[in-house]
Amino acid sequence: MDDYALPFWVHLAVVTVLVGGAVKKVLASHLSAGPTLVAWLGATVLVERLWAFCLPALLLLVLLGLAYRLCWRSRTGPPTAILPAEGKAVLITGCDSGFGHAAAKRLDALGFEVFATVMDLTGDGARELQRTGSSRLTVLQVDITQPQQVQQALLDTKAKLGLRGLWGLVNNAGVCVNFGDAELSLMSNFRGCMEVNFFGTLCVTKCFLPLIRQAKGRIVTISSPAGDQPFPCLAAYGASKAALNLFTDTLRHELEPWGVHVSTVLPSSYKTGHSSNHTYWEQQHKQLLQSLSPALLDEYGEDYVTETKDLFQSFAKQANPDLSPVTGTIVHALLAPQPQARYYAGPGVGLMYFIHSYCPFSLSNRFLQKLFLKKKLVPRALRKQSGLEVGLDLDHLYNNNNNNNEEKLQQL
């Protein structure tokens, strides 16, 4: 029995993952449970049969890894059939820079009629789209937090489409207005993220839904893994994306009878917007320090806040400048006959979700902290407490004892 202890536990772990994955996918799937259940149970039986042939545990794991890789390639590889782009119209929000700007260019090159919304018609991003885009590309100035501007964009779009519907809506516009611990973030920061990332996207989606339903088209929303997982120091941003993810998932169920496909794109870290702008990070840091009360700043410490800023800036520098994985998933979501409900765009996102979904909370939590912000400092108040526990803060301890003695003398 001892000789087979390790293979037995490896076998048990593999079967547990397969069966647990089957149950979870069936419960969470918005599609028919039958094919998913059959596939996972079939894989479980296959593992059992392979084990019966006394294959070594290491070889079995290698075979399972190869099978997973082949399945992943079949899911993410180029589609065998793709719908034509010609004659299809799509509206993309947030095209001043980043994913929206790159997607507008790529979809225009594919033959889409593109309506690209920007915050500033005189900005560099808008001018570049107007200069390099085809005659099919229309740039519209829209602040998605202003319902009047969204309604005007709807009227402008209808005027160009005539009796046609809108094939695609790409909800890309979004902001991350600050960084730092939730306690250090102003309520205005939380409201700012919600206003753009959730309520703004909600307003655009509701306004353009009749045109999407008319065309039996697609809705593609650019979200973030921060909406599903607790990234440290991104509470305001993550909360808004969590609301957006739930809204998008609900919308997918509701629009299925209408023949409308709804997809969510979850990118990894990319260089977009102000992420590589040193001045931007310094301004954010300065504004955060100025907004804190003296008592709160003393408890956390300015060095703690500065370290957070430096870590965010360092993380942004390492971000991928190639946005093509994200624009590629947008194209697939718009043109695939059966688009996926969720796209993991970029290296590491699928692994992150696998660990988050299947591993114990303690392990996934540690993985997330090590992956994102590797903080070395703790808040100043905790450092003081730690110093007291190991007898390092002797002056503070001495003062406390003196105060206690004085109080006792006064009582006497």
Side-chain angles (χ1 to χ4, degrees):
M1 181 66 183
D2 293 339
D3 296 337
Y4 295 97
L6 180 59
F8 170 78
W9 287 112
V10 172
H11 168 257
L12 182 62
V14 171
V15 173
T16 302
V17 169
L18 288 171
V19 175
V23 174
K24 182 168 184 177
K25 284 184 175 294
V26 168
L27 293 177
S29 177
H30 66 284
L31 301 173
S32 172
T36 304
L37 182 61
V38 170
W40 280 93
L41 291 181
T44 305
V45 172
L46 176 62
V47 171
E48 293 282 1
R49 293 302 91 205
L50 289 173
W51 199 267
F53 284 103
C54 300
L55 288 177
L58 182 59
L59 178 58
L60 178 59
L61 292 177
V62 170
L63 291 175
L64 288 173
L66 290 174
Y68 173 80
R69 187 170 182 84
L70 289 173
C71 292
W72 180 257
R73 280 180 175 272
S74 65
R75 289 186 60 192
T76 59
T80 56
I82 194 167
L83 302 176
E86 290 75 13
K88 292 182 172 61
V90 59
L91 183 134
I92 313 171
T93 62
C95 297
D96 299 84
S97 62
F99 299 138
H101 187 85
K105 286 184 172 181
R106 182 162 181 181
L107 295 181
D108 180 49
L110 288 174
F112 279 96
E113 183 176 356
V114 177
F115 296 90
T117 77
V118 296
M119 283 286 291
D120 184 8
L121 272 178
T122 63
D124 294 338
R127 288 180 175 178
E128 184 181 353
L129 289 177
Q130 291 170 332
R131 185 179 67 254
T132 61
S134 70
S135 59
R136 299 183 306 274
L137 192 147
T138 303
V139 181
L140 303 172
Q141 182 164 321
V142 180
D143 180 350
I144 66 172
T145 65
Q146 302 298 319
Q148 301 87 348
Q149 294 188 26
V150 176
Q151 284 292 338
Q152 185 59 51
L154 178 61
L155 294 176
D156 294 340
T157 304
K158 281 183 174 180
K160 286 217 169 190
L161 291 177
L163 298 178
R164 291 183 297 150
L166 184 68
W167 174 258
L169 170 63
V170 180
N171 288 315
N172 167 72
V175 294
C176 181
V177 296
N178 83 307
F179 58 89
D181 296 53
E183 189 179 10
L184 304 181
S185 303
L186 297 175
M187 287 301 297
S188 59
N189 299 137
F190 284 89
R191 291 191 178 98
C193 281
M194 288 295 295
E195 194 64 36
V196 177
N197 299 340
F198 178 66
F199 288 113
T201 302
L202 174 62
C203 179
V204 172
T205 304
K206 285 176 66 66
C207 282
F208 283 89
L209 252 179
L211 293 181
I212 297 291
R213 287 191 290 102
Q214 179 184 342
K216 297 186 184 297
R218 312 289 173 86
I219 297 176
V220 183
T221 299
I222 313 299
S223 187
S224 169
D228 294 318
Q229 304 180 41
F231 281 80
C233 299
L234 282 178
Y237 177 74
S240 66
K241 290 296 187 179
L244 180 62
N245 288 348
L246 184 58
F247 167 70
T248 305
D249 289 341
T250 304
L251 199 64
R252 184 173 62 251
H253 290 287
E254 295 173 349
L255 294 180
E256 188 174 0
W258 293 90
V260 174
H261 293 280
V262 180
S263 299
T264 303
V265 178
L266 300 159
S268 58
S269 178
Y270 289 92
K271 287 187 178 180
T272 59
H274 300 288
S275 62
S276 57
N277 188 337
H278 176 77
T279 304
Y280 167 79
W281 292 108
E282 293 300 329
Q283 289 176 346
Q284 289 281 300
H285 179 238
K286 183 179 179 180
Q287 291 173 3
L288 179 59
L289 290 177
Q290 291 175 346
S291 68
L292 297 178
S293 66
L296 195 57
L297 182 59
D298 180 67
E299 288 192 337
Y300 275 87
E302 186 172 339
D303 55 347
Y304 177 85
V305 179
T306 301
E307 184 197 39
T308 303
K309 181 264 297 183
D310 293 338
L311 288 172
F312 265 89
Q313 194 168 358
S314 175
F315 189 81
K317 287 181 179 179
Q318 300 171 6
N320 189 355
D322 179 18
L323 308 184
S324 61
V326 178
T327 58
T329 59
I330 294 174
V331 172
H332 189 274
L334 290 172
L335 293 180
Q338 293 296 325
Q340 299 174 27
R342 284 196 162 196
Y343 290 88
Y344 301 136
V349 183
L351 175 62
M352 185 192 311
Y353 271 88
F354 178 83
I355 293 176
H356 177 72
S357 301
Y358 295 103
C359 294
F361 174 77
S362 57
L363 179 61
S364 63
N365 191 50
R366 182 180 295 273
F367 173 79
L368 192 63
Q369 290 178 340
K370 294 297 183 182
L371 173 72
F372 187 51
L373 292 183
K374 302 175 183 179
K375 292 188 68 66
K376 296 180 180 178
L377 291 176
V378 296
R380 180 184 294 166
L382 296 179
R383 279 176 270 165
K384 288 182 178 180
Q385 292 177 12
S386 177
L388 280 172
E389 289 172 3
V390 297
L392 296 178
D393 199 348
L394 297 179
D395 291 336
H396 187 65
L397 181 61
Y398 177 75
N399 291 334
N400 283 344
N401 288 336
N402 283 344
N403 292 336
N404 292 334
N405 292 335
E406 289 177 2
E407 289 177 1
K408 290 178 180 179
L409 289 174
Q410 290 175 359
Q411 291 174 358
L412 292 174

